[in-house]
Structure formats: C-alpha cells, structure tokens
Amino acid sequence: YEDKKEFPDIAYHGRIIGEWSVRPEKQFMEAWPYRGASWEILAPTGKDLARLIYGLALFTRDLDPSVDLARFERGAQGFHYSLDQVVDWANQVLSGQFPMYTSEELVFLGWLAEDGVITLEDDTVGPGTVASHVMGAAPGKSRSMEFNLRHERLHVYWDEDPSFREAFTLAWDQLDEEAKEAVFQELKGYDRSNLSGIIEEWAVRTREKESDW
C-alpha cells in the first residue's frame, strides 16, 4: 500500500517517541487499509513500549501474571488492543480497582486523551472518535521495526476481518493436542487461560510469514 492515493482520506493518528538515529516516518505514514482506524506509537526500544502498557497487558490477560516488569521490558516488541479494552483498563485504574504499575502508564493515558482517542468526564473514561485500535511497535534484536509493525497491524485485521478469524479458528480446532501444546509452549509468556488470545497470536504469527496481507 505504498500509493497513498488509494486511501485519500486516511488519517495518521499516533506518535513517534524517543531518540532515533533515523526516525521511522515512512513506517508511521504507511497507508494500509485500517491505518485511519488505528492510533500507533513507534518507539526505539521495547522497554519504552513495555513501561507504557505493562498493566494493560496484565489486565487483558495478554500477559501471564508470572512475567514481571523487568522480563516484559526485555521481551516487548509491540502491542495491540481494541479501544474497548483500553477504556475498560483505564476506568479500573482510575477507580483504584486495578493497580498502576509505572508512571509511564499515566503518560500513555495522557497521550490518548490529548489525541482524542479516549475522553474523560466526571472521572470516567469513555471512547473517543479518533481510532478504534491502539497499537505500538519497536525494533527487536532479531526482528525489524517493519516486521514488528506488520505483526501488530495483523492483529487489527484479526479484529476487523471475519474471514481471517474464522479460517484460523477452524484451523486451530483441527490441530491435535500435541500440536496445540507446542503452540502453548511457543507462547509460554502469554496467559494460557486466555485461549482466544492464544489462538489470535498463533494466527498472526502464522500469517506474518506470508508476503501479502
């Protein structure tokens, strides 16, 4: 989707943060079908991302509770959450029902509010009208920014494309128990009780190896 004329009304919501030798402007401004519905944050290191969304990852059961912040900082390369998930987490945090783990989480919420992704009225967080997906990516030791960003964008496809979900859900159901256990082991940092999240991550990792969307 290099030709932005294909999406003339696209909006590029989000932020590029941190210090870069070369800022990833091209990746940030890539015109792909759901870019206008996505708030994206690009960071130079996984640690920068991890400290923004550690609590959110625990709240959504995306991350196994045994994974502490230090380990998450070493392994984080990207994230994707629906706006509904972010709003639910924010309300639980602001009401004191769920802990805030880092000061960066408050900064993250501030950016979302400033950009109109979420609203705050009478101490209650609501969905804004800017985007329906919140995501981020950083380069890893063996995975480029481009690869990690593609991975997170495929999570948006999972949410938006029923045929993608249905095909991989059926494929999962057809795996034998040994094959499923191999997936669980590959994704051992993920909360195993969140089966739908495991299937989604497995589907995205399978799909990201293909050359097209």
Side-chain angles (χ1 to χ4, degrees), residues 55-196:
L56 177 55
L58 290 172
F59 177 79
T60 57
R61 295 189 299 142
D62 192 25
L63 191 64
D64 189 89
S66 66
V67 178
D68 63 18
L69 178 57
R71 179 181 167 190
F72 190 52
E73 288 177 345
R74 293 192 298 270
Q77 297 184 53
F79 68 88
H80 162 262
Y81 297 101
S82 70
L83 181 56
D84 287 344
Q85 289 176 308
V86 173
V87 168
D88 289 345
W89 165 69
N91 278 312
Q92 291 286 305
V93 168
L94 294 183
S95 67
Q97 298 179 64
F98 193 81
M100 180 172 285
Y101 291 89
T102 71
S103 59
E104 287 86 352
E105 291 175 1
L106 187 59
V107 172
F108 178 60
L109 287 171
W111 287 340
L112 293 174
E114 184 177 332
D115 290 357
V117 181
I118 61 175
T119 62
L120 181 61
E121 185 174 353
D122 297 328
D123 296 325
T124 299
V125 175
T129 59
V130 168
S132 52
H133 300 275
V134 175
M135 53 183 287
K141 292 181 179 179
S142 60
R143 290 165 60 105
S144 67
M145 166 64 77
E146 291 87 350
F147 195 89
N148 286 334
L149 190 54
R150 172 182 167 81
H151 175 99
E152 301 309 327
R153 287 171 172 172
L154 281 168
H155 280 289
V156 177
Y157 272 83
W158 176 269
D159 283 358
E160 298 284 352
D161 185 348
S163 62
F164 182 25
R165 293 195 305 275
E166 291 165 5
F168 275 96
T169 300
L170 178 61
W172 174 268
D173 290 340
Q174 293 175 340
L175 293 179
D176 59 30
E177 292 306 311
E178 183 178 356
K180 289 179 180 178
E181 183 59 33
V183 174
F184 287 133
Q185 291 303 313
E186 181 182 354
L187 302 178
K188 58 185 177 181
Y190 290 77
D191 189 333
R192 189 164 175 162
S193 70
N194 181 15
L195 182 58
S196 62

